[in-house]
Amino acid sequence: MSEKLTPETDLTKPVTPVSRQGKTSSRVIEHFVAPLEETPLAAIDNVDETAAPLSLWADAWRNLRRQPLFIISALLIVLVLVVAFVPHLFASVDPTSCTLNDSSEGARAGHPFGFTLQGCDVYSRMIYGTRASLLVGVLTTLGVLVVGGTMGALAGYYGGWIDTVLARLADIFFALPLILGAIVMMQLPAFRDNRSVWTVVITLVIFGWPQIARITRGAVIENRNADFVTASKALGLSRFNALVRHVIPNSLAPIIVVASISLGTFIVAEATLSFLGIGLPDTVMSWGNDIAAAQPQVRNNPGVLLWPAAALSVTVLSFIMLGDALRDALDPKARKR
Amino acid sequence: MRFSRTSKALGVAAVLAMSLTACGGSTGGGNTGTAGGNTSKAITANGTEPQNPLLPANTNEVGGGRVMDLIFSGLVSYDAKGAIQNELAQSIETKDSQHYTIKLKSGETFSDGTPITAKNFVDAWNFGAAAKNAQLNSYFFESIKGYDKVSAEKSTLDKMEGLKVVDDTTFTVDLAQPESDFPLRLGYTAFYPLPESAYKDIKAFGENPVGDGPYKLAAGGWKHDTSITLIPNDKYNGPRKAKNGGVTFTLYSSPDAAYTDVQSDNLDVLDQVPPSGLQNFKTDFKGRFVNQPYAGNATMTIPSYLPEFKGEAGQMRRQAISMSINRQQIIDKIFYGNKKPAVDFTSPVLDGYDANLAGNDVLKYNPTKAKELWAAADKISPWPAGKVFTITSNIDGAGNKEYITAMANQIATTLGIKAQLNPIATFKQSRDLINSKKLTGASRAGWQADYPSLYNFLGPLYGTGAGSNDGDYSSAAFDAKLKEGLSAKTVEDGNKIFNQAQEILLKDLPVVPLWYQAVQGVWSNNVNTVEFGWNGVPLYYNITAK
Amino acid sequence: MVMFTLRRFLQLIPVFFGATLLVYFLVFATPGDPIAALSGGKPMAPAVEAALRAQYNLDQPFWIQYGLYLKNLVTLNLGQTFSGQDVSAVIGRAYPVTARLAIMALSIEAIFGVLFGVIAGLRKGKLFDGTVLVASLVVIAVPTFVLGFVLQLVVGVQLGWARPTVSGAAPWNELLLPAIVLGLVSLAYVIRLTRASISENMNADYVRTATAKGLSRTRVVVVHILRNSLIPVVTFLGADLGALMGGAIVTEGIFNVPGIGNLLYKAILKGESATVVAVVGILVIVFVVANLVVDLLYAWLDPRIRYV
């Protein structure tokens, strides 16, 4: 916006205040002149009008990379990613070789967190479970963001029949029980024989998008009548471009909040599905699976539940922090000065 | 928190000693030292919403069964040990195990005062058997002559020719073939009489039944999904006279919830400690628990239609799998020692049970032998490379997943093959897989006795074409032994022959017996010692309040 | 506004039929045989099986089944459960309980969520903010089936402060503990949404104006910042009300609440279409109405939003 304004006054010409005009001073004034600077002022202050303006996103990035919150969360996420992709670097014990001889045993050398009811190494399972859990959490969150975000933004922005159709569609999907949907989904020929992380992700996306759609729709409705949208439209931006360039970026805050928390709840939802036999197969290790399996022993051997839950917490925490930092960076008003 | 944890640790040693005495005490009578209970105070007990209207021939699950067995009584009933005692029967006589003459006690009435006659029994049985009434227990009448006609699809007949009323207190039963354990069945829910008034509106009757048992339904007593209130029936004169002022079943959707209610004395009797309580119930309920076997077992079916398990190689493989399961270890680690490994196909609480059948070595853990047998089978027809041995089970009920996973791990470790649980989300889906013979591996199975008899554990499960023969097992020798056992003169003679039939099963292993079920029950501080019966159900009528 | 509301109610009709058709199909498509399950693994006479199949129209193709269902629906007959009870009676018993539980959980979420969120938003980065974040993390990372179980054990059994389960009549005070468990996860959402919104609006021009006018801080926060921050929170709560009215399978199971969640779960497992479809049908109505209320609230919270 600012680049369209051109200076109308010549700033180099001294301006005499109106009240002083017509008077002359009798005092002798001594002038102290600072030595001339090497670089002319204009070189710094002059706006390079040919350079591309900093976009909202570039601006956000510039702000983001200086925030400690962002750096810590990014490091944590990188750590989790590394664990997810090369788990064998972090754990030497095979998480699938379990024997009842070790059932519910405590910690001992080489097995820092003890054993599960089935006699599997808790630490190793926590490490190896990262991949599936992270994939479910991240992919599902991305999926619902894409599907729900688009639907919600279109519905809220355009209103009218688009809103009616999309919002009512969301109502229908919201009312369908996830478990029923999952039972049917897992039985589809495409999924029945090769159940994987993808099956769970697709199921969770199909039944999880309406929430984000609602939140997006609400935030877009809030912003669609804002002054800056009217301004940008007045300046000739098309309706759709105004949505993409101005309404959505300004509506991101609640979406980011919900998405970063949902990441954790999706990982837990996978636990519930697995617990009911409609999630990941037993051969795929996940935090959710382990948390669900640990439930009956929570009174006697809480550690088995604690460790995967702690791993889940750290992951969610890092995404919540990332979301926080991103939100602050995107909102110029909230930036610390 | 901290305080309670220390006190728990201190309690462990003391309770270990107590648990032994409590176990011993509970099987012997159970009324010692508990005299002087309050007989007018009502008690509360764990229940579940009955799945069907409360009709004798339509109640086939424990939620309804608990209630039916208290508000009805049949010709006979079972005592704590499963022995038969007469309720309404004066005598049940036969000379050939095929033609029975049944005489009723006179002067007995339903709770509404109408007299109980022979006709009430004959009509109720005919009603239960007739196809047009679609009663779930109809197959219980299949031994009676004429059942095939009334039970045929679209049949409109409703009278079996094998049932004849002689006079008000006498009727005769003709069976299609001799069956020596027929009298044993007569205490089962399906054989209860119905009053004449029931047939006017059988649906309304099922909501508010009038029976002849030690209790009757209180007015508006069945609050669906919430509670069922029973009060003593003063017209009842049988051996199960109520010793309390009534039983209210609180209906739970999970035993975990019920467990916490007994802990806080909001519920008096729980007959099923949930998996999460198995490790703690002996300390949570010092001196207020039982842990005893009941007439049920857990098995694993290996269907005969699987190509890898056919013929001689298949037999060796089944034996190898059985010997690669360390039953005691699973019991110790997963069930915290609360069961006993199976050494036959029936249950130790039954008359005629024999722990020393020839060939029961195959049910003992023997990894070396298991490996040998597996290798020998591979020589005849090799196990397909990469094939996973799956054990199918529904996992919508608690506690199946854990032991099957452990079992699969043991099989995999011992035999060096891949083995895993194949979890099925719903019971209806797993039943469908089993019924339609679409299993691709083993499946979880088990049996809970309907009536205390060895035959009940054998005939319906392994007889050729029998209703619950999920693995399609068929053996002419076994069928012949069953028939011989049924036509034996006495139950005792029959049992000997049934055990010979079991020895055939031990060779063929149509299912792999795992362990005998045991009931873990606990009770509150508000009631005296609770006695549990042969079928794992508390003897509610014997419970006295403090 | 009146027209807007009326139109919304008219939209209910296609939504209702769409949802029931879809859910009827889903139940129809679940694998397995409901009648086989009725036998509980014991034998069943073939004639009995056939009769039962006919009784519940399970011997018919899908479209006829659904058509017969709709035909009954017109006469307000919701069908029967496999235990022979009228679905309308079953739902009539369960719904009031779930509604009470949902209202309590929603109140807890709304009151504490907004309160904690406002404090955390105003004191961003301070101790309170951090404590709330850690507490929300615990709630998010520990599934309800564990959290509920532990709370029940500690509060209900060990401390004895409340009855561990809900008794038959499900009175308000006994529903408090399950309502807390039920509201906890959503509480985390509401806190974070409020916090984000507050911190975003704290620097808005109108806030500076209000402060400059000399308004007290409380008035600025409550009247100006909060009102302008509530839209995302209201959206979330509106959606959550629907989710809560759908019943909570896990929480209701743990505390033995005779509500819709349990009913729906059992019906799904059994393949009892009549019950599932009726519950989902009611749910869709709840959703549409909740949405309408939320949309009307938008206009109240932000006068720039108008409906015609």
Side-chain angles (χ1 to χ4, degrees):
Chain A
M1 279 176 277
S2 58
E3 66 270 17
K4 300 205 171 176
L5 300 170
T6 44
E8 281 159 24
T9 45
D10 187 1
L11 294 169
T12 52
K13 216 175 167 183
V15 180
T16 319
V18 177
S19 59
R20 288 216 167 242
Q21 277 170 10
K23 289 179 187 174
T24 43
S25 171
S26 57
R27 274 188 289 174
V28 179
I29 298 162
E30 225 178 326
H31 290 273
F32 297 95
V33 180
L36 266 179
E37 279 191 54
E38 305 285 305
T39 43
L41 272 174
I44 292 175
D45 284 356
N46 196 17
V47 176
D48 180 3
E49 281 170 32
T50 55
L54 265 184
S55 73
L56 179 79
W57 297 100
D59 193 33
W61 168 239
R62 245 174 45 170
N63 176 270
L64 205 53
R65 62 188 178 196
R66 285 199 295 266
Q67 272 196 48
L69 197 62
F70 170 74
I71 297 168
I72 299 172
S73 62
L75 284 177
L76 271 174
I77 291 173
V78 169
L79 174 72
V80 176
L81 280 172
V82 172
V83 173
F85 286 98
V86 281
H88 50 273
L89 294 184
F90 295 84
S92 52
V93 181
D94 180 358
T96 56
S97 81
C98 314
T99 155
L100 279 186
N101 292 329
D102 293 330
S103 173
S104 301
E105 289 283 316
R108 62 165 185 253
H111 306 277
F113 298 161
F115 294 89
T116 66
L117 180 69
Q118 298 290 347
C120 309
D121 182 63
V122 173
Y123 172 73
S124 194
R125 283 188 74 86
M126 184 184 89
I127 294 293
Y128 278 86
T130 310
R131 184 181 297 170
S133 297
L134 195 68
L135 279 176
V136 168
V138 172
L139 292 179
T140 311
T141 307
L142 287 179
V144 296
L145 274 177
V146 170
V147 179
T150 314
M151 300 268 227
L154 294 177
Y157 189 66
Y158 289 105
W161 66 269
I162 297 184
D163 183 26
T164 305
V165 171
L166 293 181
R168 296 297 83 79
L169 195 65
D171 285 339
I172 293 179
F173 271 86
F174 231 138
L176 293 178
L178 168 68
I179 292 177
L180 175 62
I183 291 177
V184 175
M185 290 284 293
M186 297 303 163
Q187 209 48 38
L188 295 179
F191 293 153
R192 191 174 40 215
D193 302 318
N194 47 356
R195 267 205 227 164
S196 65
V197 171
W198 289 103
T199 339
V200 175
V201 169
I202 292 171
T203 308
L204 287 176
V205 169
I206 290 181
F207 294 93
W209 67 267
Q211 192 190 35
I212 289 276
R214 282 281 179 80
I215 296 285
T216 313
R217 176 177 173 273
V220 168
I221 288 183
E222 188 184 3
N223 283 314
R224 71 175 176 198
N225 296 324
D227 299 337
F228 59 84
V229 182
T230 322
S232 68
K233 277 194 247 168
L235 286 165
L237 209 60
S238 76
R239 250 186 115 184
F240 182 74
N241 280 341
L243 168 67
V244 176
R245 287 222 212 137
H246 298 290
V247 177
I248 289 180
N250 278 289
S251 310
L252 278 178
I255 303 174
I256 290 173
V257 171
V258 172
S260 57
I261 301 181
S262 296
L263 188 106
T265 51
F266 285 138
I267 297 180
V268 174
E270 179 271 306
T272 312
L273 289 183
S274 299
F275 189 66
L276 299 172
I278 43 183
L280 293 172
D282 277 10
T283 44
V284 177
M285 268 164 285
S286 77
W287 297 331
N289 247 336
D290 283 4
I291 291 172
Q295 189 264 338
Q297 298 160 270
V298 80
R299 273 180 74 186
N300 302 86
N301 198 2
V304 177
L305 185 132
L306 214 61
W307 291 110
L312 174 57
S313 300
V314 169
T315 311
V316 177
L317 174 68
S318 54
F319 278 96
I320 286 183
M321 284 182 356
L322 182 75
D324 257 13
L326 185 65
R327 216 188 55 231
D328 282 354
L330 282 172
D331 180 10
K333 282 175 289 180
R335 218 171 277 165
K336 290 189 190 89
R337 269 159 275 230
Chain B
M1 270 306 271
R2 178 159 298 185
F3 174 78
S4 67
R5 189 163 289 180
T6 15
S7 64
K8 210 183 290 167
L10 287 172
V12 171
V15 165
L16 275 178
M18 283 189 68
S19 69
L20 295 170
T21 49
C23 266
S26 63
T27 46
N31 52 2
T32 45
T34 59
N38 186 340
T39 55
S40 60
K41 215 166 130 192
I43 58 156
T44 56
N46 166 58
T48 50
E49 171 75 11
Q51 300 292 300
N52 299 292
L54 293 174
L55 294 172
N58 215 15
T59 298
N60 69 342
E61 47 80 49
V62 66
R66 281 190 192 101
V67 178
M68 289 302 288
D69 292 347
L70 291 183
I71 60 176
F72 278 92
S73 78
L75 294 166
V76 298
S77 64
Y78 311 112
D79 69 5
K81 289 177 175 169
I84 284 206
Q85 54 192 10
N86 278 348
E87 289 270 344
L88 293 170
Q90 184 75 46
S91 65
I92 301 170
E93 283 165 2
T94 181
K95 293 199 174 75
D96 54 4
S97 293
Q98 188 171 3
H99 304 279
Y100 292 85
T101 305
I102 296 168
K103 280 198 161 49
L104 301 180
K105 289 176 186 163
S106 54
E108 298 292 337
T109 64
F110 286 102
S111 64
D112 65 354
T114 49
I116 302 169
T117 64
K119 189 169 181 298
N120 293 127
F121 277 95
V122 169
D123 286 354
W125 295 6
N126 277 328
F127 178 84
K132 61 175 188 175
N133 298 321
Q135 300 287 295
L136 294 170
N137 285 334
S138 65
Y139 67 93
F140 267 92
F141 305 102
E142 67 187 354
S143 325
I144 298 172
K145 201 171 169 194
Y147 170 82
D148 48 346
K149 283 179 202 141
V150 300
S151 71
E153 224 163 303
K154 305 222 167 70
S155 165
T156 51
L157 295 174
D158 56 3
K159 297 229 170 357
M160 289 185 282
E161 56 196 87
L163 295 179
K164 282 194 192 76
V165 176
V166 177
D167 58 43
D168 266 1
T169 55
T170 316
F171 67 103
T172 59
V173 181
D174 294 349
L175 304 183
Q177 57 177 26
E179 295 193 8
S180 60
D181 79 341
F182 182 72
L184 295 182
R185 294 175 209 173
L186 295 174
Y188 185 68
T189 321
F191 293 97
Y192 293 152
L194 284 174
E196 201 57 44
S197 58
Y199 307 104
K200 266 180 256 159
D201 183 352
I202 198 78
K203 205 187 157 205
F205 184 85
E207 279 290 302
N208 194 10
V210 173
D212 59 345
Y215 292 87
K216 59 184 178 185
L217 201 62
W222 187 2
K223 295 200 179 71
H224 286 281
D225 294 310
T226 305
S227 64
I228 298 176
T229 304
L230 307 181
I231 51 174
N233 170 16
D234 51 18
K235 305 267 179 2
Y236 176 79
N237 294 316
R240 297 182 295 150
K241 197 89 187 153
K243 288 186 186 154
N244 47 47
V247 178
T248 296
F249 289 100
T250 309
L251 307 182
Y252 288 91
S253 52
S254 87
D256 287 275
Y259 188 83
T260 58
D261 265 354
V262 192
Q263 272 182 301
S264 50
D265 287 337
N266 285 318
L267 177 74
D268 292 333
V269 185
L270 170 63
D271 48 355
Q272 184 195 1
V273 170
S276 62
L278 277 183
Q279 205 175 347
N280 303 313
F281 75 97
K282 292 177 187 171
T283 42
D284 287 346
F285 298 92
K286 292 168 194 167
R288 291 185 283 130
F289 70 88
V290 294
N291 183 15
Q292 68 184 47
Y294 71 88
N297 63 13
T299 61
M300 171 171 69
T301 306
I302 304 180
S304 62
Y305 55 80
L306 299 177
E308 298 82 16
F309 290 94
K310 283 191 188 304
E312 201 193 342
Q315 190 178 23
M316 283 193 247
R317 286 212 171 95
R318 287 193 294 272
Q319 291 171 354
I321 285 169
S322 174
M323 284 191 237
S324 61
I325 301 167
N326 188 345
R327 294 168 177 76
Q328 190 60 52
Q329 190 180 40
I330 293 179
I331 290 169
D332 288 344
K333 302 290 184 179
I334 308 281
F335 300 116
Y336 303 100
N338 293 312
K339 290 181 194 299
K340 291 268 176 298
V343 294
D344 80 333
F345 291 82
T346 64
S347 163
V349 301
L350 300 175
D351 275 346
Y353 166 77
D354 186 350
N356 301 307
L357 293 175
N360 71 9
D361 280 353
V362 76
L363 304 182
K364 295 201 175 79
Y365 178 55
N366 188 345
T368 331
K369 188 86 191 294
K371 277 187 202 112
E372 280 170 25
L373 279 166
W374 194 264
D378 267 353
K379 279 199 186 106
I380 301 171
S381 78
W383 182 252
K387 167 134 183 118
V388 181
F389 177 72
T390 59
I391 305 164
T392 298
S393 168
N394 64 307
I395 56 170
D396 48 349
N400 295 333
K401 194 174 176 170
E402 286 80 7
Y403 85 76
I404 296 175
T405 307
M407 206 159 71
N409 283 343
Q410 288 181 346
I411 294 170
T413 314
T414 311
L415 299 179
I417 56 168
K418 279 191 181 150
Q420 70 190 46
L421 161 72
N422 173 27
I424 302 293
T426 61
F427 180 65
K428 70 180 174 111
Q429 189 186 357
S430 65
R431 254 348 283 177
D432 199 24
L433 279 174
I434 294 166
N435 287 356
S436 58
K437 317 289 177 202
K438 281 187 191 136
L439 290 173
T440 53
S443 75
R444 177 185 73 86
W447 188 254
Q448 195 164 340
D450 303 310
Y451 55 96
S453 139
L454 290 186
Y455 175 77
N456 187 236
F457 276 82
L458 302 174
L461 290 157
Y462 314 114
T464 302
S468 291
N469 188 345
D470 293 339
D472 268 0
Y473 175 70
S474 176
S475 157
F478 176 76
D479 290 347
K481 281 286 173 200
L482 279 188
K483 201 163 178 202
E484 190 188 336
L486 278 179
S487 49
K489 280 273 177 300
T490 64
V491 173
E492 289 73 33
D493 291 348
N495 283 342
K496 279 185 199 121
I497 301 163
F498 290 141
N499 278 334
Q500 291 166 11
Q502 281 207 68
E503 289 173 359
I504 301 173
L505 292 183
L506 280 169
K507 284 198 199 83
D508 291 345
L509 282 185
V511 307
V512 176
L514 299 172
W515 36 78
Y516 303 122
Q517 301 292 15
V519 58
Q520 287 87 36
V522 293
W523 53 90
S524 75
N525 288 306
N526 301 330
V527 293
N528 295 308
T529 301
V530 177
E531 203 182 343
F532 282 67
W534 66 280
N535 53 357
V537 176
L539 307 183
Y540 297 106
Y541 53 89
N542 251 349
I543 300 172
T544 52
K546 271 184 189 162
Chain C
M1 192 79 106
V2 180
M3 277 308 287
F4 177 76
T5 312
L6 266 179
R7 268 213 309 274
R8 213 32 105 66
F9 276 106
L10 274 182
Q11 288 169 12
L12 254 177
I13 299 166
V15 169
F16 182 82
F17 284 104
T20 48
L21 176 65
L22 194 57
V23 81
Y24 204 102
F25 176 74
L26 283 177
V27 179
F28 178 81
T30 53
D33 180 0
I35 299 300
L38 282 183
S39 72
K42 301 262 173 174
M44 188 190 278
V48 172
E49 203 181 316
L52 286 171
R53 221 174 276 285
Q55 189 185 337
Y56 295 100
N57 298 328
L58 290 167
D59 49 352
Q60 303 284 352
F62 172 71
W63 286 107
I64 294 180
Q65 279 191 38
Y66 182 66
L68 288 170
Y69 180 80
L70 285 186
K71 198 180 127 209
N72 283 337
L73 199 63
V74 174
T75 57
L76 292 178
N77 175 3
L78 297 180
Q80 289 199 334
T81 66
F82 286 142
S83 58
Q85 293 181 58
D86 287 334
V87 170
S88 49
V90 173
I91 292 182
R93 278 195 302 270
Y95 234 112
V97 179
T98 293
R100 275 205 292 273
L101 190 61
I103 291 169
M104 285 181 82
L106 200 74
S107 310
I108 292 170
E109 283 167 29
I111 295 169
F112 291 97
V114 171
L115 186 67
F116 291 167
V118 168
I119 301 176
L122 291 176
R123 302 190 189 152
K124 226 170 128 186
K126 301 274 168 55
L127 180 68
F128 184 83
D129 188 21
T131 316
V132 167
L133 173 63
V134 171
S136 335
L137 274 177
V138 172
V139 173
I140 295 166
V142 180
T144 317
F145 53 83
V146 176
L147 206 65
F149 181 76
V150 172
L151 272 182
Q152 179 185 47
L153 192 72
V154 174
V155 179
V157 178
Q158 292 183 344
L159 298 173
W161 290 350
R163 229 186 103 106
T165 65
V166 174
S167 61
W172 291 93
N173 59 333
E174 289 179 8
L175 286 173
L176 185 62
L177 194 59
I180 291 175
V181 171
L182 198 54
L184 273 179
V185 175
S186 301
L187 186 67
Y189 279 95
V190 176
I191 291 176
R192 307 238 23 111
L193 276 173
T194 313
R195 175 183 176 278
S197 226
I198 290 278
S199 70
E200 188 180 310
N201 282 320
M202 236 166 46
N203 301 305
D205 299 335
Y206 63 83
V207 175
R208 221 175 303 159
T209 315
T211 317
K213 272 200 308 190
L215 294 184
S216 72
R217 187 168 161 79
T218 326
R219 197 174 155 79
V220 172
V221 170
V222 174
V223 178
H224 294 278
I225 304 186
L226 191 58
R227 183 163 168 184
N228 279 287
S229 307
L230 277 182
I231 283 192
V233 179
V234 165
T235 314
F236 180 84
L237 288 176
D240 209 43
L241 174 69
L244 288 170
M245 291 296 283
I249 294 166
V250 176
T251 312
E252 288 185 4
I254 292 175
F255 295 100
N256 204 43
V257 182
I260 280 291
N262 248 318
L263 182 72
L264 185 62
Y265 181 57
K266 282 188 207 147
I268 289 173
L269 291 185
K270 282 191 282 192
E272 206 173 76
S273 341
T275 313
V276 180
V277 176
V279 171
V280 170
I282 294 172
L283 260 187
V284 160
I285 298 175
V286 171
F287 268 104
V288 172
V289 172
N291 247 1
L292 175 66
V293 173
V294 166
D295 279 351
L296 295 178
L297 274 176
Y298 285 168
W300 179 73
L301 287 169
D302 186 344
R304 283 174 301 181
I305 298 171
R306 261 185 216 98
Y307 303 105
V308 272

